[in-house]
Amino acid sequence: MFNKILIANRGEIALRVIRTCKEMGIKTVAVYSTADQDSLHVKFADEAVCIGPPAGKESYLKIPSILAAAEITNAEAIHPGYGFLAENAEFSRICAEHNLKFIGPSPEMISTMGDKATAKATMMNNNVPVVPGSGGVVDSLQEAKKIADEIGYPLIIKATAGGGGRGMRVVNEASGFEKAFKTCRSEAETAFNNPAVYIEKFIIDPRHIEIQILGDQHGNVIHLGERECSLQRRHQKILEEAPSPVMTPEVREKMGQAAVNAGKAINYEGAGTVEFIADKDLNFYFMEMNTRIQVEHPVTEEITWCDLVKEQIRVAAGEKIDDKPLKMRGHAIECRINAEDPAHNFRPSAGKITAFNIPGGHSTRVDTHAYSGYVIPPHYDSMIAKLIVSAPTREEAINRMRRALEEFIIEGIKTTIPYHLQLMDDPNFQSGNFNTQYLEKSFKFNPETN
Ligand code: MV4
Protein backbone atom coordinates (compact mmCIF):
# COMPACT_ATOMS: atom_id res chain seq x y z
CA MET A 1 0.00 0.00 0.00
CA PHE A 2 1.08 3.58 -0.60
CA ASN A 3 2.76 5.49 2.18
CA LYS A 4 1.87 8.97 0.87
CA ILE A 5 -0.62 10.29 -1.70
CA LEU A 6 -0.72 13.74 -3.29
CA ILE A 7 -4.19 15.05 -4.06
CA ALA A 8 -4.10 17.08 -7.27
CA ASN A 9 -7.36 18.89 -6.65
CA ARG A 10 -9.16 21.36 -4.39
CA GLY A 11 -12.43 21.85 -2.56
CA GLU A 12 -14.69 19.16 -1.20
CA ILE A 13 -13.24 16.33 -3.30
CA ALA A 14 -9.71 17.00 -2.08
CA LEU A 15 -10.97 16.82 1.49
CA ARG A 16 -13.01 13.71 0.64
CA VAL A 17 -9.87 11.92 -0.57
CA ILE A 18 -7.83 13.10 2.45
CA ARG A 19 -10.45 11.63 4.81
CA THR A 20 -10.20 8.16 3.29
CA CYS A 21 -6.39 8.31 3.21
CA LYS A 22 -6.41 9.06 6.94
CA GLU A 23 -8.68 6.10 7.62
CA MET A 24 -6.27 3.91 5.61
CA GLY A 25 -3.19 5.21 7.44
CA ILE A 26 -1.85 6.92 4.31
CA LYS A 27 -0.14 10.32 4.56
CA THR A 28 -1.51 13.13 2.41
CA VAL A 29 -0.12 16.06 0.48
CA ALA A 30 -2.46 18.88 -0.51
CA VAL A 31 -1.62 21.26 -3.32
CA TYR A 32 -3.26 24.66 -3.44
CA SER A 33 -3.38 27.92 -5.33
CA THR A 34 -2.91 31.23 -3.52
CA ALA A 35 -6.73 31.66 -3.63
CA ASP A 36 -7.18 28.45 -1.59
CA GLN A 37 -4.76 28.85 1.28
CA ASP A 38 -7.64 28.95 3.82
CA SER A 39 -9.52 25.96 2.38
CA LEU A 40 -10.12 22.93 4.62
CA HIS A 41 -8.27 20.61 2.24
CA VAL A 42 -5.09 22.55 3.05
CA LYS A 43 -5.73 22.48 6.81
CA PHE A 44 -6.48 18.76 7.03
CA ALA A 45 -3.69 17.37 4.83
CA ASP A 46 -0.43 16.29 6.51
CA GLU A 47 1.53 18.57 4.18
CA ALA A 48 0.53 21.31 1.76
CA VAL A 49 2.39 22.82 -1.17
CA CYS A 50 1.41 26.07 -2.88
CA ILE A 51 1.52 25.45 -6.64
CA GLY A 52 0.66 28.84 -8.08
CA PRO A 53 -1.75 31.74 -8.56
CA PRO A 54 -5.57 31.40 -8.56
CA ALA A 55 -6.17 30.60 -12.25
CA GLY A 56 -6.62 26.86 -12.74
CA LYS A 57 -4.30 26.88 -15.76
CA GLU A 58 -1.51 28.23 -13.55
CA SER A 59 -2.09 25.91 -10.58
CA TYR A 60 -4.35 22.84 -10.53
CA LEU A 61 -3.82 22.25 -14.26
CA LYS A 62 -0.10 22.96 -14.24
CA ILE A 63 1.49 19.52 -14.54
CA PRO A 64 5.14 20.54 -13.86
CA SER A 65 4.16 22.27 -10.59
CA ILE A 66 2.18 19.25 -9.41
CA LEU A 67 5.03 16.87 -10.28
CA ALA A 68 7.46 19.12 -8.41
CA ALA A 69 5.18 19.08 -5.35
CA ALA A 70 5.06 15.27 -5.50
CA GLU A 71 8.82 15.07 -5.82
CA ILE A 72 9.70 17.36 -2.91
CA THR A 73 7.23 15.59 -0.60
CA ASN A 74 8.10 12.04 -1.71
CA ALA A 75 4.53 11.19 -2.64
CA GLU A 76 4.15 7.80 -4.34
CA ALA A 77 0.76 8.27 -5.96
CA ILE A 78 -1.48 11.07 -7.21
CA HIS A 79 -5.25 11.18 -6.78
CA PRO A 80 -6.71 13.57 -9.38
CA GLY A 81 -10.26 13.89 -7.98
CA TYR A 82 -12.73 15.08 -10.67
CA GLY A 83 -12.32 17.90 -13.17
CA PHE A 84 -8.88 19.49 -13.65
CA LEU A 85 -6.45 16.69 -14.67
CA ALA A 86 -8.68 13.71 -13.80
CA GLU A 87 -9.35 12.73 -17.43
CA ASN A 88 -6.14 14.02 -18.96
CA ALA A 89 -4.43 11.08 -20.69
CA GLU A 90 -1.20 13.06 -20.96
CA PHE A 91 -1.11 13.56 -17.18
CA SER A 92 -1.74 9.84 -16.56
CA ARG A 93 1.15 9.06 -18.92
CA ILE A 94 3.54 11.61 -17.39
CA CYS A 95 2.80 10.33 -13.87
CA ALA A 96 3.73 6.80 -14.98
CA GLU A 97 6.94 8.11 -16.57
CA HIS A 98 7.87 9.76 -13.27
CA ASN A 99 7.21 6.61 -11.27
CA LEU A 100 4.14 8.14 -9.66
CA LYS A 101 1.04 5.94 -9.59
CA PHE A 102 -1.87 7.81 -11.17
CA ILE A 103 -4.93 6.72 -9.20
CA GLY A 104 -7.12 6.09 -12.19
CA PRO A 105 -6.96 4.34 -15.54
CA SER A 106 -4.11 4.16 -18.05
CA PRO A 107 -3.62 6.90 -20.66
CA GLU A 108 -4.95 4.51 -23.32
CA MET A 109 -8.22 3.93 -21.45
CA ILE A 110 -8.68 7.66 -20.87
CA SER A 111 -8.04 8.42 -24.57
CA THR A 112 -10.34 5.66 -25.80
CA MET A 113 -13.22 6.91 -23.66
CA GLY A 114 -12.35 10.58 -24.25
CA ASP A 115 -12.93 10.17 -27.97
CA LYS A 116 -16.69 9.66 -27.95
CA ALA A 117 -16.98 7.98 -31.36
CA THR A 118 -14.20 5.53 -30.43
CA ALA A 119 -15.86 4.90 -27.07
CA LYS A 120 -19.15 4.19 -28.81
CA ALA A 121 -17.53 1.84 -31.32
CA THR A 122 -15.83 -0.03 -28.47
CA MET A 123 -19.20 -0.46 -26.76
CA MET A 124 -20.94 -1.62 -29.97
CA ASN A 125 -18.33 -4.34 -30.32
CA ASN A 126 -18.87 -5.54 -26.76
CA ASN A 127 -22.59 -6.05 -26.41
CA VAL A 128 -23.42 -2.66 -24.99
CA PRO A 129 -26.54 -1.11 -26.56
CA VAL A 130 -25.91 2.17 -28.42
CA VAL A 131 -28.19 4.65 -30.19
CA PRO A 132 -28.59 3.86 -33.92
CA GLY A 133 -26.53 6.26 -36.01
CA SER A 134 -23.52 6.79 -38.20
CA GLY A 135 -21.42 4.14 -36.45
CA GLY A 136 -18.33 6.34 -36.49
CA VAL A 137 -17.24 9.83 -37.47
CA VAL A 138 -18.53 11.30 -40.73
CA ASP A 139 -16.29 13.76 -42.56
CA SER A 140 -18.04 14.62 -45.81
CA LEU A 141 -21.32 16.50 -46.04
CA GLN A 142 -22.48 14.22 -48.84
CA GLU A 143 -21.99 11.09 -46.75
CA ALA A 144 -23.53 12.79 -43.69
CA LYS A 145 -26.69 13.74 -45.62
CA LYS A 146 -27.13 10.17 -46.79
CA ILE A 147 -26.79 8.83 -43.24
CA ALA A 148 -29.14 11.53 -41.90
CA ASP A 149 -31.85 10.49 -44.35
CA GLU A 150 -31.44 6.87 -43.30
CA ILE A 151 -31.63 7.69 -39.57
CA GLY A 152 -34.50 10.15 -39.95
CA TYR A 153 -35.39 13.15 -37.80
CA PRO A 154 -34.96 14.40 -35.15
CA LEU A 155 -31.28 13.51 -35.00
CA ILE A 156 -28.30 14.76 -33.04
CA ILE A 157 -24.81 15.62 -34.29
CA LYS A 158 -22.07 15.22 -31.70
CA ALA A 159 -18.41 16.20 -31.68
CA THR A 160 -16.27 13.16 -31.00
CA ALA A 161 -14.02 15.32 -28.80
CA GLY A 162 -17.03 16.73 -26.91
CA GLY A 163 -18.98 15.07 -24.13
CA GLY A 164 -20.94 16.14 -21.10
CA GLY A 165 -23.25 18.11 -23.38
CA ARG A 166 -20.50 20.06 -25.15
CA GLY A 167 -20.35 20.17 -28.94
CA MET A 168 -23.82 18.80 -29.73
CA ARG A 169 -26.57 19.99 -32.11
CA VAL A 170 -30.09 18.66 -32.42
CA VAL A 171 -31.58 18.76 -35.93
CA ASN A 172 -35.37 18.53 -36.29
CA GLU A 173 -35.79 18.30 -40.04
CA ALA A 174 -33.82 17.71 -43.22
CA SER A 175 -33.87 21.40 -44.20
CA GLY A 176 -31.71 22.28 -41.20
CA PHE A 177 -29.17 19.50 -41.58
CA GLU A 178 -26.50 21.03 -43.80
CA LYS A 179 -26.12 24.19 -41.73
CA ALA A 180 -26.11 22.25 -38.44
CA PHE A 181 -23.49 19.81 -39.72
CA LYS A 182 -21.17 22.61 -40.86
CA THR A 183 -21.66 24.66 -37.68
CA CYS A 184 -21.15 21.66 -35.42
CA ARG A 185 -17.88 20.80 -37.18
CA SER A 186 -16.50 24.33 -37.09
CA GLU A 187 -17.48 24.79 -33.43
CA ALA A 188 -15.79 21.48 -32.61
CA GLU A 189 -12.68 22.61 -34.47
CA THR A 190 -12.60 25.83 -32.44
CA ALA A 191 -13.43 24.28 -29.06
CA PHE A 192 -11.50 21.01 -29.25
CA ASN A 193 -9.10 21.35 -32.17
CA ASN A 194 -10.92 18.42 -33.73
CA PRO A 195 -13.81 18.90 -36.16
CA ALA A 196 -14.86 15.23 -36.29
CA VAL A 197 -18.54 14.54 -35.57
CA TYR A 198 -20.86 11.54 -35.52
CA ILE A 199 -24.61 11.32 -35.91
CA GLU A 200 -27.32 9.62 -33.84
CA LYS A 201 -31.07 9.37 -33.76
CA PHE A 202 -32.28 11.85 -31.14
CA ILE A 203 -33.97 10.22 -28.16
CA ILE A 204 -36.62 12.65 -26.94
CA ASP A 205 -36.80 13.55 -23.24
CA PRO A 206 -34.60 10.72 -21.96
CA ARG A 207 -33.63 9.98 -18.42
CA HIS A 208 -29.95 10.01 -17.51
CA ILE A 209 -29.08 6.87 -15.57
CA GLU A 210 -25.49 5.87 -14.91
CA ILE A 211 -23.83 2.75 -13.52
CA GLN A 212 -20.87 2.87 -11.14
CA ILE A 213 -18.20 0.31 -11.94
CA LEU A 214 -14.91 -0.73 -10.37
CA GLY A 215 -12.14 -2.61 -12.14
CA ASP A 216 -8.86 -3.98 -10.84
CA GLN A 217 -5.49 -4.89 -12.38
CA HIS A 218 -6.46 -8.58 -12.38
CA GLY A 219 -9.30 -8.30 -14.90
CA ASN A 220 -12.18 -8.16 -12.41
CA VAL A 221 -14.95 -5.65 -13.07
CA ILE A 222 -18.01 -5.20 -10.87
CA HIS A 223 -20.89 -2.75 -10.88
CA LEU A 224 -22.40 -1.03 -7.86
CA GLY A 225 -25.83 -0.24 -9.22
CA GLU A 226 -27.19 2.90 -10.79
CA ARG A 227 -27.58 6.58 -10.04
CA GLU A 228 -30.49 8.62 -11.31
CA CYS A 229 -29.06 11.89 -12.65
CA SER A 230 -31.90 13.29 -14.73
CA LEU A 231 -32.35 16.44 -12.66
CA GLN A 232 -29.98 18.80 -14.43
CA ARG A 233 -29.81 22.33 -15.81
CA ARG A 234 -27.54 23.22 -18.72
CA HIS A 235 -25.88 19.82 -18.43
CA GLN A 236 -25.06 20.48 -14.77
CA LYS A 237 -26.51 17.94 -12.41
CA ILE A 238 -28.50 19.48 -9.55
CA LEU A 239 -29.66 16.44 -7.58
CA GLU A 240 -28.74 12.76 -7.85
CA GLU A 241 -30.14 9.68 -6.18
CA ALA A 242 -29.62 5.97 -5.86
CA PRO A 243 -31.39 3.81 -6.75
CA SER A 244 -33.33 5.34 -9.65
CA PRO A 245 -37.02 5.67 -8.73
CA VAL A 246 -37.97 4.02 -12.04
CA MET A 247 -35.46 1.16 -12.08
CA THR A 248 -36.63 -2.46 -12.05
CA PRO A 249 -34.52 -5.46 -10.95
CA GLU A 250 -34.58 -6.77 -14.54
CA VAL A 251 -33.33 -3.56 -16.16
CA ARG A 252 -30.75 -3.05 -13.38
CA GLU A 253 -29.38 -6.50 -14.15
CA LYS A 254 -29.20 -5.76 -17.88
CA MET A 255 -27.79 -2.25 -17.52
CA GLY A 256 -25.31 -3.44 -14.89
CA GLN A 257 -24.16 -6.28 -17.14
CA ALA A 258 -23.77 -3.84 -20.06
CA ALA A 259 -21.61 -1.59 -17.86
CA VAL A 260 -19.49 -4.55 -16.74
CA ASN A 261 -19.08 -5.58 -20.40
CA ALA A 262 -17.97 -2.02 -21.12
CA GLY A 263 -15.36 -2.14 -18.35
CA LYS A 264 -14.10 -5.59 -19.30
CA ALA A 265 -13.82 -4.56 -22.95
CA ILE A 266 -11.09 -2.09 -22.08
CA ASN A 267 -9.62 -3.94 -19.08
CA TYR A 268 -10.74 -1.04 -16.96
CA GLU A 269 -8.84 -0.15 -13.81
CA GLY A 270 -10.27 2.03 -11.08
CA ALA A 271 -13.64 3.65 -10.50
CA GLY A 272 -15.61 4.52 -13.60
CA THR A 273 -19.12 5.48 -14.60
CA VAL A 274 -20.99 4.25 -17.63
CA GLU A 275 -23.63 6.79 -18.62
CA PHE A 276 -26.82 5.69 -20.35
CA ILE A 277 -29.88 7.51 -21.57
CA ALA A 278 -33.17 5.68 -21.15
CA ASP A 279 -36.53 6.25 -22.81
CA LYS A 280 -39.98 5.97 -21.15
CA ASP A 281 -39.97 2.20 -21.57
CA LEU A 282 -36.48 1.95 -20.05
CA ASN A 283 -34.85 1.02 -23.33
CA PHE A 284 -31.33 2.24 -22.64
CA TYR A 285 -28.33 3.26 -24.71
CA PHE A 286 -24.66 3.92 -23.92
CA MET A 287 -23.74 7.61 -24.01
CA GLU A 288 -20.31 8.11 -22.48
CA MET A 289 -17.96 6.62 -19.97
CA ASN A 290 -16.38 8.81 -17.31
CA THR A 291 -12.99 7.54 -16.19
CA ARG A 292 -12.93 9.32 -12.82
CA ILE A 293 -14.59 9.45 -9.42
CA GLN A 294 -17.70 11.57 -9.90
CA VAL A 295 -19.24 14.34 -7.85
CA GLU A 296 -22.28 12.17 -7.12
CA HIS A 297 -20.37 9.06 -5.96
CA PRO A 298 -21.60 9.42 -2.34
CA VAL A 299 -25.16 8.28 -3.11
CA THR A 300 -23.71 4.94 -4.25
CA GLU A 301 -21.51 4.81 -1.15
CA GLU A 302 -24.45 5.38 1.16
CA ILE A 303 -26.54 2.50 -0.20
CA THR A 304 -23.69 0.00 -0.80
CA TRP A 305 -21.43 0.81 2.20
CA CYS A 306 -18.51 0.74 -0.24
CA ASP A 307 -15.95 3.55 0.16
CA LEU A 308 -15.29 4.21 -3.53
CA VAL A 309 -12.16 6.29 -2.89
CA LYS A 310 -10.75 3.49 -0.74
CA GLU A 311 -11.42 1.03 -3.58
CA GLN A 312 -9.73 3.40 -6.06
CA ILE A 313 -6.64 3.48 -3.86
CA ARG A 314 -6.67 -0.27 -3.21
CA VAL A 315 -6.89 -1.19 -6.90
CA ALA A 316 -4.23 1.40 -7.79
CA ALA A 317 -1.95 -0.40 -5.32
CA GLY A 318 -2.60 -3.67 -7.17
CA GLU A 319 -5.10 -5.19 -4.75
CA LYS A 320 -8.14 -7.14 -5.92
CA ILE A 321 -11.68 -5.86 -5.70
CA ASP A 322 -13.95 -7.79 -3.42
CA ASP A 323 -16.18 -9.74 -5.80
CA LYS A 324 -18.70 -11.05 -3.33
CA PRO A 325 -22.19 -9.87 -4.31
CA LEU A 326 -23.01 -6.40 -3.05
CA LYS A 327 -26.12 -5.73 -1.03
CA MET A 328 -27.87 -2.46 -1.70
CA ARG A 329 -29.92 -1.04 1.11
CA GLY A 330 -32.31 1.87 1.20
CA HIS A 331 -32.26 5.12 -0.73
CA ALA A 332 -29.81 8.02 -0.89
CA ILE A 333 -30.22 11.53 -2.30
CA GLU A 334 -27.58 14.20 -2.91
CA CYS A 335 -28.31 17.90 -3.31
CA ARG A 336 -25.54 20.02 -4.78
CA ILE A 337 -25.29 23.25 -2.82
CA ASN A 338 -23.92 25.88 -5.18
CA ALA A 339 -22.94 29.46 -4.46
CA GLU A 340 -25.48 30.69 -7.02
CA ASP A 341 -28.67 32.72 -6.88
CA PRO A 342 -31.58 30.58 -8.13
CA ALA A 343 -33.82 33.67 -8.17
CA HIS A 344 -31.55 35.30 -10.75
CA ASN A 345 -30.86 32.58 -13.28
CA PHE A 346 -28.30 30.86 -11.03
CA ARG A 347 -25.78 33.67 -11.31
CA PRO A 348 -22.61 32.98 -9.30
CA SER A 349 -22.53 34.44 -5.80
CA ALA A 350 -18.96 34.48 -4.52
CA GLY A 351 -17.89 36.19 -1.31
CA LYS A 352 -17.56 35.64 2.41
CA ILE A 353 -19.72 33.09 4.23
CA THR A 354 -20.77 34.91 7.40
CA ALA A 355 -22.70 32.02 8.97
CA PHE A 356 -22.49 28.31 8.15
CA ASN A 357 -24.53 25.78 10.08
CA ILE A 358 -23.97 22.25 8.80
CA PRO A 359 -26.91 19.86 9.24
CA GLY A 360 -26.42 16.69 11.26
CA GLY A 361 -28.52 13.92 12.65
CA HIS A 362 -29.36 10.43 11.44
CA SER A 363 -27.84 9.41 8.06
CA THR A 364 -27.01 12.97 7.09
CA ARG A 365 -23.66 13.59 5.37
CA VAL A 366 -22.17 16.89 4.28
CA ASP A 367 -19.08 16.96 2.08
CA THR A 368 -17.68 20.48 2.05
CA HIS A 369 -14.44 22.42 2.28
CA ALA A 370 -16.26 25.56 3.49
CA TYR A 371 -16.91 26.89 6.99
CA SER A 372 -18.12 30.03 8.72
CA GLY A 373 -15.79 32.89 7.74
CA TYR A 374 -14.59 31.13 4.56
CA VAL A 375 -14.35 33.31 1.45
CA ILE A 376 -15.49 31.60 -1.74
CA PRO A 377 -12.96 32.43 -4.45
CA PRO A 378 -14.51 33.43 -7.78
CA HIS A 379 -12.03 31.42 -9.85
CA TYR A 380 -13.53 27.94 -9.63
CA ASP A 381 -16.67 25.85 -9.76
CA SER A 382 -19.57 27.21 -7.72
CA MET A 383 -20.30 23.98 -5.82
CA ILE A 384 -19.50 24.61 -2.15
CA ALA A 385 -21.13 21.61 -0.47
CA LYS A 386 -22.91 18.33 -1.11
CA LEU A 387 -25.70 17.31 1.22
CA ILE A 388 -26.32 13.57 1.15
CA VAL A 389 -29.01 11.79 3.13
CA SER A 390 -30.06 8.15 3.24
CA ALA A 391 -33.08 6.33 4.61
CA PRO A 392 -34.86 2.98 4.19
CA THR A 393 -37.28 4.34 1.56
CA ARG A 394 -37.25 7.15 -1.00
CA GLU A 395 -40.12 8.91 0.75
CA GLU A 396 -38.24 8.92 4.05
CA ALA A 397 -35.08 10.12 2.28
CA ILE A 398 -37.03 13.06 0.81
CA ASN A 399 -38.39 13.95 4.26
CA ARG A 400 -34.91 13.69 5.74
CA MET A 401 -33.47 15.86 2.96
CA ARG A 402 -36.12 18.54 3.57
CA ARG A 403 -35.29 18.51 7.29
CA ALA A 404 -31.53 18.70 6.61
CA LEU A 405 -31.93 21.52 4.05
CA GLU A 406 -33.87 23.50 6.63
CA GLU A 407 -30.98 23.05 9.09
CA PHE A 408 -28.38 24.09 6.52
CA ILE A 409 -27.93 27.80 7.20
CA ILE A 410 -25.57 29.70 4.92
CA GLU A 411 -25.40 33.47 5.20
CA GLY A 412 -23.41 36.07 3.31
CA ILE A 413 -23.94 34.51 -0.12
CA LYS A 414 -26.86 33.14 -2.15
CA THR A 415 -27.14 29.37 -2.50
CA THR A 416 -29.28 26.76 -4.21
CA ILE A 417 -30.76 25.59 -0.87
CA PRO A 418 -34.16 27.32 -1.46
CA TYR A 419 -34.38 25.68 -4.90
CA HIS A 420 -33.80 22.23 -3.40
CA LEU A 421 -36.37 22.90 -0.69
CA GLN A 422 -38.98 23.63 -3.34
CA LEU A 423 -37.95 20.50 -5.24
CA MET A 424 -38.58 18.35 -2.15
CA ASP A 425 -42.23 19.54 -2.19
CA ASP A 426 -42.70 19.09 -5.94
CA PRO A 427 -45.26 16.36 -6.75
CA ASN A 428 -43.42 15.32 -9.92
CA PHE A 429 -40.15 14.93 -8.03
CA GLN A 430 -41.92 13.03 -5.29
CA SER A 431 -43.49 10.59 -7.76
CA GLY A 432 -40.30 10.15 -9.81
CA ASN A 433 -42.02 11.69 -12.81
CA PHE A 434 -39.15 13.59 -14.46
CA ASN A 435 -36.53 13.39 -17.20
CA THR A 436 -33.47 15.36 -18.32
CA GLN A 437 -35.66 18.22 -19.59
CA TYR A 438 -37.82 18.55 -16.48
CA LEU A 439 -36.00 21.26 -14.53
CA GLU A 440 -35.46 23.54 -17.52
CA LYS A 441 -38.81 23.00 -19.24
CA SER A 442 -41.36 22.36 -16.50
CA PHE A 443 -40.16 23.10 -12.98
CA LYS A 444 -40.66 26.73 -12.03
CA PHE A 445 -38.73 28.05 -9.07
CA ASN A 446 -40.72 30.57 -7.07
CA PRO A 447 -38.39 32.69 -4.92
CA GLU A 448 -41.37 34.19 -3.00
CA THR A 449 -42.25 30.97 -1.20
CA ASN A 450 -38.73 30.54 0.16
C1 MV4 B 1 -28.41 12.44 -26.46
C2 MV4 B 1 -29.73 12.84 -26.15
C3 MV4 B 1 -30.73 12.33 -26.96
N1 MV4 B 1 -30.44 11.50 -27.97
N2 MV4 B 1 -28.18 11.63 -27.48
C4 MV4 B 1 -26.26 15.22 -23.23
C5 MV4 B 1 -24.99 15.04 -22.50
C6 MV4 B 1 -24.33 13.86 -23.07
N3 MV4 B 1 -23.87 13.02 -22.03
C7 MV4 B 1 -25.35 13.19 -23.92
N4 MV4 B 1 -26.48 14.05 -23.97
C8 MV4 B 1 -27.58 13.71 -24.67
N5 MV4 B 1 -27.38 12.88 -25.73
C9 MV4 B 1 -29.17 11.17 -28.22
N6 MV4 B 1 -28.90 10.35 -29.24
C10 MV4 B 1 -29.94 13.69 -25.09
C11 MV4 B 1 -28.87 14.15 -24.35
C12 MV4 B 1 -29.16 15.08 -23.31
C13 MV4 B 1 -29.51 16.40 -23.60
C14 MV4 B 1 -29.54 16.88 -24.90
C15 MV4 B 1 -29.90 18.21 -25.17
C16 MV4 B 1 -30.20 19.06 -24.11
C17 MV4 B 1 -30.16 18.62 -22.82
C18 MV4 B 1 -29.81 17.28 -22.54
C19 MV4 B 1 -29.76 16.86 -21.23
C20 MV4 B 1 -29.42 15.56 -20.97
C21 MV4 B 1 -29.13 14.67 -22.01
Side-chain angles (χ1 to χ4, degrees), residues 234-273:
R234 301 174 186 165
H235 301 293
Q236 294 291 320
K237 293 165 190 161
I238 297 285
L239 176 152
E240 306 94 341
E241 55 186 312
S244 167
V246 297
M247 189 54 88
T248 64
E250 294 72 31
V251 177
R252 178 176 297 118
E253 178 67 30
K254 279 200 285 179
M255 198 183 276
Q257 192 52 54
V260 168
N261 291 347
K264 288 198 167 156
I266 56 169
N267 243 302
Y268 194 71
E269 176 193 332
T273 301

Side-chain angles (χ1 to χ4, degrees), residues 208-214 221-229 237 244 247-248 251-263 268 271-277 284 286 288-290 292 294 296 300 308 328:
H208 171 146
I209 301 176
E210 59 188 32
I211 301 274
Q212 177 71 54
I213 66 166
L214 273 174
V221 179
I222 62 164
H223 79 85
L224 295 95
E226 82 280 4
R227 292 188 286 260
E228 168 68 63
C229 301
K237 293 165 190 161
S244 167
M247 189 54 88
T248 64
V251 177
R252 178 176 297 118
E253 178 67 30
K254 279 200 285 179
M255 198 183 276
Q257 192 52 54
V260 168
N261 291 347
Y268 194 71
T273 301
V274 186
E275 177 193 324
F276 297 96
I277 54 173
F284 62 87
F286 170 81
E288 298 174 12
M289 177 166 177
N290 300 313
R292 60 170 191 274
Q294 288 191 278
E296 60 271 26
T300 299
L308 288 167
M328 281 172 243

Side-chain angles (χ1 to χ4, degrees), residues 312-331:
Q312 283 188 296
I313 294 169
R314 287 183 61 250
V315 302
E319 293 182 16
K320 286 187 175 163
I321 44 179
D322 201 342
D323 52 7
K324 72 169 183 286
L326 274 155
K327 281 210 185 74
M328 281 172 243
R329 267 191 68 171
H331 199 95

Side-chain angles (χ1 to χ4, degrees), residues 418-437:
Y419 187 87
H420 285 299
L421 273 167
Q422 193 181 313
L423 202 46
M424 292 306 115
D425 290 335
D426 179 58
N428 288 313
F429 172 64
Q430 290 175 352
S431 63
N433 177 30
F434 53 79
N435 57 49
T436 50
Q437 307 306 304

Side-chain angles (χ1 to χ4, degrees), residues 100-395:
L100 284 159
K101 177 62 192 172
F102 176 81
I103 301 176
S106 68
E108 293 76 22
M109 294 175 206
I110 297 175
S111 303
T112 301
M113 293 302 133
D115 185 277
K116 304 307 171 189
T118 305
K120 184 176 175 181
T122 308
M123 297 305 153
M124 279 169 66
N125 294 334
N126 288 279
N127 269 315
V128 182
V130 299
V131 185
S134 58
V137 299
V138 197
D139 297 321
S140 84
L141 175 64
Q142 196 192 2
E143 194 195 344
K145 274 181 168 161
K146 206 176 126 229
I147 291 162
D149 288 336
E150 281 164 21
I151 297 170
Y153 293 85
L155 57 75
I156 185 166
I157 310 171
K158 296 179 174 181
T160 191
R166 307 200 318 136
M168 316 184 315
R169 273 194 119 74
V170 178
V171 191
N172 287 311
E173 50 191 37
S175 64
F177 183 78
E178 180 167 337
K179 183 160 176 266
F181 181 78
K182 287 178 176 165
T183 312
C184 197
R185 276 179 62 86
S186 74
E187 284 177 352
E189 171 75 61
T190 306
F192 318 115
N193 256 315
N194 178 357
V197 299
Y198 61 104
I199 306 170
E200 288 181 343
K201 177 178 149 63
F202 184 64
I203 309 293
I204 295 163
D205 294 350
R207 297 181 84 106
H208 171 146
I209 301 176
E210 59 188 32
I211 301 274
Q212 177 71 54
I213 66 166
L214 273 174
D216 66 22
Q217 296 172 8
H218 310 275
N220 303 302
V221 179
I222 62 164
H223 79 85
L224 295 95
E226 82 280 4
R227 292 188 286 260
E228 168 68 63
C229 301
S230 297
L231 293 173
Q232 10 185 309
R233 292 183 69 256
R234 301 174 186 165
H235 301 293
Q236 294 291 320
K237 293 165 190 161
I238 297 285
L239 176 152
E240 306 94 341
E241 55 186 312
S244 167
V246 297
M247 189 54 88
T248 64
E250 294 72 31
V251 177
R252 178 176 297 118
E253 178 67 30
K254 279 200 285 179
M255 198 183 276
Q257 192 52 54
V260 168
N261 291 347
K264 288 198 167 156
I266 56 169
N267 243 302
Y268 194 71
E269 176 193 332
T273 301
V274 186
E275 177 193 324
F276 297 96
I277 54 173
D279 66 19
K280 292 187 289 299
D281 305 318
L282 291 189
N283 297 305
F284 62 87
Y285 310 95
F286 170 81
M287 282 283 106
E288 298 174 12
M289 177 166 177
N290 300 313
T291 57
R292 60 170 191 274
I293 192 82
Q294 288 191 278
V295 173
E296 60 271 26
H297 76 275
V299 293
T300 299
E301 294 187 325
E302 296 307 316
I303 66 162
T304 60
W305 281 79
C306 172
D307 178 334
L308 288 167
V309 173
K310 181 176 184 178
E311 294 310 309
Q312 283 188 296
I313 294 169
R314 287 183 61 250
V315 302
E319 293 182 16
K320 286 187 175 163
I321 44 179
D322 201 342
D323 52 7
K324 72 169 183 286
L326 274 155
K327 281 210 185 74
M328 281 172 243
R329 267 191 68 171
H331 199 95
I333 304 177
E334 170 179 279
C335 289
R336 298 192 187 195
I337 313 299
N338 294 348
E340 295 171 356
D341 184 357
H344 292 97
N345 204 22
F346 293 80
R347 73 176 171 214
S349 177
K352 183 171 181 153
I353 298 175
T354 54
F356 199 69
N357 182 67
I358 295 181
H362 197 179
S363 303
T364 303
R365 166 177 173 181
V366 178
D367 282 14
T368 183
H369 61 292
Y371 52 88
S372 193
Y374 175 73
V375 179
I376 298 157
H379 314 279
Y380 313 106
D381 190 272
S382 66
M383 194 181 73
I384 54 164
K386 303 188 305 205
L387 171 57
I388 306 107
V389 302
S390 55
T393 65
R394 185 169 187 268
E395 188 181 353

